Amino acid sequence: MFRLILLLSATSLMASCASFKTTTTKTTDIYGSGVIQHPVIVDMDVKDTKVTGTAASKSKKAVENVKNEAVNNAL
């Protein structure tokens, strides 16, 4: 009897550890009247060279502002 109770307890503990994840998405059909698609053509020149940019601040600027300055410097 004790083994049966132990087996049932262990089984219920193992079953209770399962988790479920559900997601819901909404889609819209884009093929209909009123939908106009224009192709985008771009002439790009991509290079393999690495660029770097630096920025420093002695004042208490936000870190995001200093990062943006470094990106501007690199470009």
Side-chain angles (χ1 to χ4, degrees):
M1 183 68 176
F2 178 73
R3 288 183 183 177
L4 180 63
I5 294 173
L6 184 63
L7 179 64
L8 289 175
S9 298
T11 305
S12 66
L13 286 175
M14 296 290 275
S16 66
C17 293
S19 63
F20 298 97
K21 181 178 179 182
T22 59
T23 57
T24 303
T25 59
K26 295 181 181 180
T27 60
T28 303
D29 185 19
I30 62 168
Y31 302 106
S33 62
V35 177
I36 301 171
Q37 180 180 0
H38 297 286
V40 178
I41 300 172
V42 178
D43 186 21
M44 296 179 64
D45 182 23
V46 180
K47 298 180 182 177
D48 290 331
T49 58
K50 182 178 179 179
V51 296
T52 59
T54 59
S57 174
K58 292 184 180 180
S59 64
K60 293 188 176 184
K61 281 187 176 180
V63 174
E64 204 61 36
N65 290 341
V66 178
K67 287 181 182 178
N68 287 335
E69 288 179 15
V71 169
N72 288 337
N73 181 269
L75 295 175

